[in-house]
Each structure stands twice: as C-alpha cells, then as structure tokens.
Amino acid sequence: MHHLAAGTHGPSPVIIALFALGGLAAVWCGGSWAFNVRGIAVRRAANIRDRHQLRSGSVLMGAQPWYHRMLGAFLTVAGLVLLTAAYALWHLN
C-alpha cells in the first residue's frame, strides 16, 4: 500500500488521452453552441420549441437560443478544465 501513496507510478496514458480527447470534444461542441456557428443554437431551440408546442402549447426555457449559447459556454469551460487536467497529469509522469 505504501507504493501507491508514494506515487511511484504515473497516470495511465489512456486516462490522459481520454481527458484530452474529451476536453477537445467539449471545447469544439461547446464553442459551436456558444458562438452559434452556422446557427446551431437557433435551430436547436426552434426544434425544441416546435416539438413542445405541438404537445402542450407552452414555451420552455430550453427553447430559447440564449439558453443553448449559455450551455455551450459552460461546456467550453468544462472542456478547458479537462484539457488542463490532462496537461497536469501528463506532467506528473
């Protein structure tokens, strides 16, 4: 048990790769939503609004473009955190 606490083994390259790839995917997708690339946030909000209005007639918060842009910004920040964690794990090795 002592060798685990001492940190004799570095992080697995697979874990580092998963963090890095997940971070890149989150930054890519989140950035697309946050900056409304090709109108993705507007289209997604319109699709949700149309589906929901057919069922209940009311409008959801998720049917607003600003909501999807905000989610994209949070996803981008989460991706940057994952990339930072991957970088830190890589340097622990």
Side-chain angles (χ1 to χ4, degrees):
M1 193 67 144
H2 177 62
H3 69 282
L4 291 176
T8 58
H9 300 291
S12 168
V14 174
I15 299 296
I16 296 171
L18 286 175
F19 273 49
L21 290 175
L24 287 173
V27 167
W28 180 268
C29 293
S32 295
W33 284 14
F35 294 108
N36 199 23
V37 175
R38 294 189 203 164
I40 192 168
V42 173
R43 278 195 321 252
R44 185 155 171 76
N47 288 340
I48 290 171
R49 183 174 40 253
D50 292 344
R51 275 186 279 137
H52 189 70
Q53 282 182 341
L54 287 175
R55 281 186 265 149
S56 68
S58 63
V59 178
L60 294 172
M61 181 173 63
Q64 304 298 325
W66 64 266
Y67 180 75
H68 292 281
R69 293 184 74 172
M70 182 184 64
L71 285 179
F74 287 139
L75 187 59
T76 302
V77 171
L80 292 173
V81 168
L82 279 175
L83 286 173
T84 304
Y87 182 75
L89 286 173
W90 180 55
H91 275 285
L92 283 177
N93 213 359

